[in-house]
Amino acid sequence: MTFKTRFAPSPTGPLHLGHAYSAMLAHDLAKVESGQFLLRIEDIDRSRSRSHWEDQIYEDLRWLGLFWPEPVMRQSDRLAAYGTALDNLWSRGLLYPCTCNRKDIAAAASAPQEGTPLHGPDGIIYPGRCRAKWLPSLAQDPRPKDVPLRLDVAAAGQLLLTCGQSDTVVGSFQEDGAGPNGEAGAITFTLDELTKTIGDVVLSRRDMGTSYHLSVVLDDAAQGITHVIRGQDLFEATRIHVVLQALLGLQTPHYLHHRLIRDDAGKRLAKRDDARAISKYRAEGASPADIRSMVGL
Ligand code: GLU
């Protein structure tokens, strides 16, 4: 198996030191393993993606000394593939439409019978308001395109339990790095953990016709990625990615979640952290070697 990894930035702002670390680490490991490093542009969020940020990504990465095969995969070219996967999940009764806005979700999650609202990778875990109203027989109808669709995670988990070897474990993956609490090695998770830590995530957003979770899973599979290298902030989301791979008959790659680069106050760098933008260090005369040492590589 040839080692294949990728860096998958969204062109919604400048790349900062955290991105540089992630991209250089993946590029270094691909070299050590005599493997391949791919680049993918995650531009499904059309309202925030800009072509000048995409150009800046190419420029910054080249300046850092990274190279990758062309053509580069861009998510905006893959909407048909996302639609096919959604049709598949929809026809199996695993998705339902959701009309809740943020306020509805916050109100439903803080109802007294719900206890303290739980948080997952996408914010408050969806309390299931629209799932309760949904009639599974409606999955015979064509998939609605004008409304967000959520994964019925309990139904998905039950299905995986029926097909799997265990009565409780719905999924597993190999962690070659570490999660935020030191999780490493063979990670398994149960249906109960899935419903309590992830919940019914949105797989098709109204404005995108897909979501980060669905696209990333389909693209990693389409690119034949064997090792996903990315920040620890995405460790929790990996469970939902593993579930989607199982539902869609895709291989689960290895995952390597790496430490996050933080600012002096210990906060994770964000896109709006222009002060840490690679282009800014570059304009001030820093070299790629300086960037490497700044991020501890
Ligand atoms: N596009 C995502 C980001 O910029 C990366 C997701 C991933 O590596 O899985 O955070």
Side-chain angles (χ1 to χ4, degrees):
M1 174 176 75
T2 309
F3 182 104
K4 234 187 205 190
T5 190
R6 47 61 165 189
F7 177 57
S10 304
T12 54
L15 294 188
H16 55 56
L17 287 183
H19 296 108
Y21 175 63
S22 201
M24 289 192 292
L25 180 67
H27 196 265
D28 286 1
L29 290 176
K31 200 162 161 193
V32 170
E33 300 289 337
S34 307
Q36 218 179 16
F37 168 86
L38 304 183
L39 179 63
R40 180 167 77 228
I41 299 294
E42 300 214 324
D43 59 349
I44 43 172
D45 188 345
R46 303 311 292 160
S47 66
R48 292 171 60 226
S49 296
R50 298 285 178 272
S51 62
H52 69 270
W53 291 129
E54 186 175 329
D55 294 341
Q56 180 85 53
I57 288 172
Y58 299 135
E59 201 182 314
D60 286 345
L61 296 179
R62 282 197 194 104
W63 176 77
L64 285 171
L66 311 194
F67 45 91
W68 54 87
E70 302 278 351
V72 167
M73 179 182 276
R74 297 166 81 240
Q75 290 191 324
S76 52
D77 294 333
R78 295 199 15 92
L79 298 181
Y82 308 145
T84 305
L86 288 168
D87 284 339
N88 170 340
L89 297 171
W90 172 260
S91 66
R92 291 155 72 196
L94 296 171
L95 304 179
Y96 63 89
C98 176
T99 50
C100 293
N101 59 29
R102 274 172 207 274
K103 254 171 78 186
D104 299 330
I105 295 174
S110 55
Q113 73 276 14
E114 296 288 340
T116 317
L118 297 169
H119 286 257
D122 296 347
I124 293 180
I125 291 185
Y126 183 62
R129 198 164 163 260
C130 285
R131 187 191 338 110
K133 294 188 280 189
W134 175 239
L135 297 173
S137 59
L138 294 174
Q140 306 303 318
D141 295 348
R143 170 172 63 91
K145 305 276 163 56
D146 53 351
V147 64
L149 301 175
R150 287 184 183 273
L151 178 70
D152 183 339
V153 99
Q158 282 301 345
L159 183 68
L160 297 182
L161 284 179
T162 332
C163 317
Q165 321 281 316
S166 159
D167 290 343
T168 48
V169 173
V170 278
S172 63
F173 64 96
Q174 180 64 28
E175 174 60 62
D176 291 349
N181 300 309
E183 302 90 335
I187 310 276
T188 58
F189 53 90
T190 62
L191 179 53
D192 191 47
E193 282 172 289
L194 204 59
T195 48
K196 289 199 176 118
T197 62
I198 307 281
D200 293 355
V201 289
V202 171
L203 291 193
S204 179
R205 283 176 51 171
R206 194 201 330 253
D207 48 342
M208 295 181 188
T210 181
S211 71
Y212 159 65
H213 300 301
L214 182 74
S215 303
V216 83
V217 160
L218 291 170
D219 296 347
D220 283 336
Q223 292 193 298
I225 299 302
T226 61
H227 290 73
V228 171
I229 299 171
R230 60 186 182 189
Q232 270 171 355
D233 52 325
L234 290 166
F235 178 80
E236 296 300 335
T238 303
R239 293 197 187 104
I240 201 69
H241 299 173
V242 170
V243 166
L244 290 174
Q245 285 149 2
L247 293 175
L248 296 167
L250 306 171
Q251 290 248 331
T252 294
H254 281 226
Y255 285 87
L256 189 159
H257 292 95
H258 59 68
R259 68 186 165 85
L260 300 175
I261 304 293
R262 299 181 183 277
D263 65 14
D264 299 338
K267 253 186 69 217
R268 176 162 76 89
L269 300 184
K271 270 278 159 68
R272 53 195 172 280
D273 256 313
D274 289 11
R276 314 277 160 160
I278 299 170
S279 49
K280 181 161 175 288
Y281 286 107
R282 194 174 152 187
E284 287 169 355
S287 69
D290 294 332
I291 305 282
R292 273 191 172 269
S293 77
M294 274 181 229
V295 297
L297 272 175

